[in-house]
Amino acid sequence: MHIIIKKVKILDRNSSHAGKTTDIYIKGGIIQKIGRNLTARSAKVLEFENAHASIGWFDIGTQIGEPGFEHRETIESVSAAAAKGGYTGIACFPNTSPVIQSKSEIEYIKTKSASSLIDFHPIGAVSRDTRGTDLTEMIDMHHHGAIAFSDGNHYEDNDGLLLRALKYVKSFDGLIINPPFKQLLSLNGQMHEGEISTSLGMVGIPRIAEEIALHRDINLLKYTKSKLLSHTLSTAAAVNLIRKAKEKKLRIFASVSAYSLGFTDSDIQGFDPNLKVLPPFREQHDAKALIKGIADNTIDCICSNHVPLEEEAKKLEYPYAEFGAIGLETCFPFLNNISSRSLSLQRIIDKLAYGPRQILNIPIPTIKKGAKANITIFNPKAEWTYQLSDIASKSKNSPVIGKKLKGKIYMVINGEAGKINE
């Protein structure tokens, strides 16, 4: 790659060029120069309207499909979706078939994605086949490249197993990721439990299903003095629990799904099955509490909660559809659409790019001379309508098809690889 990107505003808080509008010259995957009016023989010159540059965004908890669910998503298609959404790295959940639970599966993901524009960081399973009974060989997976450990979209409900897992990963300062959701408290639940679920005649998922689970997780974390990411919070009380846990200096992190900041249970009244997700969309005051949690750094990162599902699983009457929506391609423009009232652009970038890497303890790129190029180029003000034909994912279960979004990703660059979005 031999390019000059002209007149781009740099949004990298670790760069000496932060806030400046300048040119970036990249050759061989390395940033050669940053300055105004740059030229270079044989370099391709790129200029975009209202171009902004941040370090590449990073997603935690992406469902990748392959191996086993290639009809939903493949390594190739999730890479395309991630690049279109401005991501240069993902940490992928282990809910594949076979489950990512040994060095063989870790090596498969790393080998299959080796030539991808996107950096893949496999998350190993905590329990065999994510069933919550027997621990996996987490140390072995760690040595072969597992970035963290989780049963993914299966909440770890076995107290003893989670206790042992938290102790186990301490030997290498590992991280457990657990979405707080006690399923026994929400059997057959279809949406948030409240006035709207009652009016629609649907079984609700109560807030306590999350809050009791999170309270348990915090107590186990306090006992073990280990490290935990509480993934995809959705309630105001959960944010307060995390806030208090951080005040006690526990090694706890929290994430939230972008869609949980903009959708509420009132949106379910149209019975769009693409709005059926976990955690469910709560009430307006919950969304406001989540946004406040982002603003005061109680919540460390924002994720796409990307769950690809085939048409046969989603194009059904609402009660029969499976939970999940794709989100990699629309995470930033969806956030940016609601941010002007509550979150600054820099705060969003912090939670998309810096927070995830800090949680996973991996190097944070920077935009400076001599550094490997790991950059997202975007226009935060461009408005556009997301259409079915825009989707790069193999699955089409998006709740924002036909909606006006704000923020267009022009290009991602990761070393010698790059992709301009058409």
Side-chain angles (χ1 to χ4, degrees):
M1 174 168 285
H2 190 194
I3 61 172
I4 295 175
I5 306 171
K6 305 291 287 186
K7 297 177 183 177
V8 58
K9 184 175 182 179
I10 296 178
L11 297 179
D12 174 12
R13 54 184 168 88
N14 295 329
S15 172
S16 61
H17 302 277
K20 298 177 182 177
T21 299
T22 185
D23 301 346
I24 305 174
Y25 172 36
I26 301 168
K27 183 178 181 181
I30 303 298
I31 299 172
Q32 304 291 334
K33 291 181 183 178
I34 299 175
R36 293 186 176 181
N37 303 315
L38 295 182
T39 60
R41 184 178 297 176
S42 74
K44 183 178 181 180
V45 176
L46 301 174
E47 189 166 353
F48 304 101
E49 182 180 356
N50 190 36
H52 289 58
S54 76
I55 64 169
W57 305 337
F58 193 103
D59 194 50
I60 296 179
T62 316
Q63 299 281 356
I64 61 172
E66 187 177 358
F69 300 105
E70 287 86 353
H71 58 291
R72 294 178 173 176
E73 201 79 284
T74 62
I75 298 291
E76 183 179 2
S77 66
V78 80
S79 296
K84 198 161 190 177
Y87 293 91
T88 58
I90 61 173
C92 47
F93 266 162
N95 308 102
T96 52
S97 182
V99 169
I100 302 173
Q101 59 185 0
S102 73
K103 66 179 183 181
S104 297
E105 292 83 33
I106 297 290
E107 289 173 351
Y108 174 85
I109 298 296
K110 293 180 80 67
T111 300
K112 192 72 186 289
S113 65
S115 61
S116 172
L117 167 63
I118 308 303
D119 295 326
F120 280 70
H121 298 264
I123 297 171
V126 169
S127 68
R128 291 283 177 192
D129 298 320
T130 66
R131 291 178 179 175
T133 51
D134 302 308
L135 283 178
T136 58
E137 294 291 340
M138 287 183 278
I139 290 178
D140 193 41
M141 282 192 282
H142 166 69
H143 289 319
H144 285 85
I147 195 69
F149 300 92
S150 175
D151 279 351
N153 54 20
H154 297 161
Y155 168 68
E156 196 54 72
D157 204 19
N158 184 324
D159 299 345
L161 186 132
L162 182 57
L163 176 69
R164 294 193 299 275
L166 286 165
K167 287 182 175 180
Y168 194 4
V169 298
K170 280 184 68 178
S171 63
F172 53 88
D173 197 33
L175 174 74
I176 298 293
I177 302 174
N178 204 28
F181 177 60
K182 200 162 183 63
Q183 194 167 9
L184 288 175
L185 295 177
S186 57
L187 289 177
N188 302 315
Q190 299 292 314
M191 61 176 293
H192 168 67
E193 182 184 81
E195 291 182 8
I196 292 178
S197 67
T198 301
S199 69
L200 296 177
M202 285 202 281
V203 179
I205 299 173
R207 290 186 180 91
I208 60 168
E210 178 170 310
E211 292 153 10
I212 289 176
L214 179 56
H215 187 76
R216 192 274 320 247
D217 289 2
I218 290 171
N219 278 318
L220 290 177
L221 181 65
K222 182 179 179 181
Y223 178 77
T224 59
K225 297 181 175 61
S226 191
K227 193 162 59 172
L228 175 75
L229 167 60
S230 188
H231 193 53
T232 59
L233 302 185
S234 71
T235 77
V239 177
N240 284 330
L241 283 170
I242 295 291
R243 188 175 287 117
K244 290 176 181 177
K246 287 191 170 190
E247 288 171 357
K248 295 176 182 177
K249 308 299 182 184
L250 296 183
R251 301 178 74 195
I252 192 165
F253 304 98
S255 69
V256 64
S257 165
Y259 288 149
S260 290
L261 304 175
F263 286 119
T264 67
D265 61 340
S266 63
D267 294 302
I268 306 298
Q269 294 177 93
F271 296 106
D272 179 359
N274 289 324
L275 290 168
K276 186 177 181 180
V277 299
L278 286 177
F281 302 131
R282 304 290 182 178
E283 296 177 23
Q284 188 64 44
H285 83 273
D286 293 294
K288 288 181 178 179
L290 294 172
I291 291 170
K292 183 179 178 182
I294 293 168
D296 67 12
N297 288 322
T298 298
I299 294 173
D300 301 277
C301 80
I302 301 172
C303 67
S304 72
N305 202 14
H306 183 79
V307 181
L309 293 167
E310 68 277 19
E311 217 176 62
E312 291 79 5
K314 290 299 283 187
K315 204 169 184 179
L316 302 166
E317 291 182 21
Y318 188 94
Y320 304 108
E322 291 186 29
F323 289 96
I326 57 172
L328 276 173
E329 299 169 50
T330 55
C331 186
F332 171 74
F334 182 82
L335 284 170
N336 198 38
N337 220 16
I338 63 174
S339 69
S340 58
R341 305 185 300 273
S342 46
L343 297 172
S344 68
L345 176 60
Q346 186 61 61
R347 181 68 69 181
I348 291 174
I349 300 305
D350 286 349
K351 301 304 179 182
L352 291 178
Y354 300 89
R357 291 181 171 95
Q358 288 168 338
I359 291 169
L360 297 171
N361 195 29
I362 57 179
I364 295 174
T366 190
I367 301 174
K368 67 177 183 180
K369 181 180 177 180
K372 174 188 171 184
N374 191 318
I375 301 172
T376 298
I377 308 292
F378 64 102
N379 180 351
K381 292 186 178 180
E383 294 187 347
W384 57 292
T385 301
Y386 187 56
Q387 304 289 1
L388 187 65
S389 58
D390 293 321
I391 299 177
S393 171
K394 284 193 77 172
S395 295
K396 314 301 177 187
N397 54 314
S398 169
V400 295
I401 294 171
K403 295 187 182 297
K404 184 175 284 188
L405 301 174
K406 184 180 178 183
K408 191 75 174 177
I409 290 82
Y410 289 133
M411 184 180 191
V412 292
I413 307 161
N414 190 6
E416 294 189 34
K419 179 179 182 293
I420 299 174
N421 292 321
E422 301 298 334

